[in-house]
Amino acid sequence: MLLWRLAVAAVASLPFWYAIAGAAGAVDLGVDPGKELTLLLGQVALAELLVTLAMTPLRQITAWAGWLRVRRQLGLWTFFYATLHGLAFLAFLLGWQWADLWREIAERPYVLVGSLAWLGLLPLALTSYKAAMRKLGKRWKTLHQLIYLIAALALLHMLWVVRADMTQWLLYALPAALLLAWRVPAVSTWIVAWRGPMKKLAKNS
Ligand code: HEM
C-alpha cells in the first residue's frame, strides 16, 4: 500500500515539476508564460478535484480498498494546486498589486467565484487529518460534503473564463455530472449491481 501511495504522489506531483520547469524557463510556455502557468495550475486543480471525487465510486465498482487510501492525499494535492493557481494569478497577472485586486474582481467576477472555491477547500484541507476527523465526528462528513459545492463553483469559475469555447469545459463538466449523479443512491446501486454480470461477461469473452 505504501508503494501505491508513493506512486500516486509521484504522478500527482508531475504538474508541479512541470510548472517549476516552466517558471524557470526550461520549458517553453509560449508568449505569455505567466498566464499559461496560471491556466495550467487551474486545470490541474480541477482535474485533481474530480479524481478525488472518483475514489469512492471506484472503490464501490472494484471493491478495492486502495482507492480510499489515497483519497486524502488527492484532496490535499487539489488544495495545493488551487493555492499555487491563486498565487500565480496574484504574481503573474496582478503583479502583487493588491490595490488592483478589487478592480479585477469587479471587472472579472469569476475571480471571486474562484476565490470562494478556494476558501471552501481551506477548511477541508485543515480538517483532513485523523485527529480532526475524530474530533468532528459526524460533522466531519457533513463538512466534507462541501466538496460538491466547491466542484460546482470551480466549474462555474472555469465556464466564465472559457465561455467562447466550451469544449474543454465539457471535458471536466461531464465527468463531474457523472460523479454527482453517483451520489444519488439509486444510480450507484444500479451500477454496482451490474458489476457481477459484467465480470461474467469478461470471463466468458
Ligand atoms: C484562489 C482563488 C482563485 C483565483 C484568484 C483564480 C483566478 C483565476 C483566473 C484569473 C483565471 C483566468 C486566467 C486568465 O484568463 O488568464 C482562472 C482560470 C481558471 N481557474 Fe481559477 N482562480 C481561483 C481558484 C480556482 C480553483 C479553486 C479552481 C479549481 C479547483 C480553479 C480553476 C480554474 C480553471 C480550470 C481555470 C481555467 C483554465 C483554462 O481555461 O485553461 N480556480 N482562475
Side-chain angles (χ1 to χ4, degrees):
M1 213 39 100
L2 179 67
L3 219 61
W4 163 237
R5 281 191 175 132
L6 287 174
V8 170
V11 173
S13 70
L14 286 177
F16 172 69
W17 301 117
Y18 182 78
I20 293 281
V27 173
D28 182 18
L29 288 176
V31 282
D32 193 346
K35 188 181 165 99
E36 268 315 306
L37 214 55
T38 310
L39 294 175
L40 170 83
L41 290 165
Q43 288 212 20
V44 175
L46 186 53
E48 297 266 359
L49 179 66
L50 298 184
V51 172
T52 310
L53 287 178
M55 292 302 109
T56 302
L58 282 171
R59 157 84 171 93
Q60 287 167 332
I61 294 169
T62 63
W64 185 52
W67 301 112
L68 295 189
R69 297 278 150 79
V70 292
R71 193 174 51 176
R72 182 175 68 179
Q73 128 166 216
L74 287 167
L76 288 171
W77 280 111
T78 303
F79 179 67
F80 175 67
Y81 284 113
T83 306
L84 286 185
H85 168 63
L87 288 173
F89 161 72
L90 290 174
F92 301 124
L93 305 186
L94 213 62
W96 300 112
Q97 297 298 311
W98 293 100
D100 291 347
L101 185 59
W102 309 116
R103 189 174 41 87
E104 194 73 15
I105 288 176
E107 276 173 19
R108 306 198 235 174
Y110 63 77
V111 170
L112 185 66
V113 178
S115 304
L116 285 177
W118 183 82
L119 279 175
L121 284 172
L122 184 63
L124 304 197
L126 292 176
T127 59
S128 64
Y129 296 94
K130 284 221 172 83
M133 224 182 239
R134 269 196 300 272
K135 205 168 167 191
L136 288 171
K138 273 191 183 153
R139 281 174 302 159
W140 188 90
K141 208 171 173 195
T142 315
L143 176 70
H144 281 249
Q145 301 265 317
L146 250 185
I147 198 73
Y148 292 97
L149 176 66
I150 296 165
L153 284 173
L155 281 167
L156 173 67
H157 170 67
M158 183 185 185
L159 180 63
W160 221 315
V161 177
V162 300
R163 268 173 310 185
D165 177 13
M166 287 190 31
T167 341
Q168 213 174 33
W169 182 77
L170 284 171
L171 278 178
Y172 294 93
L174 293 178
L178 199 72
L179 290 167
L180 207 69
W182 187 271
R183 300 320 278 187
V184 179
V187 175
S188 49
T189 313
W190 183 76
I191 298 177
V192 172
W194 267 92
R195 222 181 60 209
M198 292 294 269
K199 265 189 186 162
K200 240 187 233 164
L201 210 71
K203 228 187 239 170
N204 295 338
S205 64

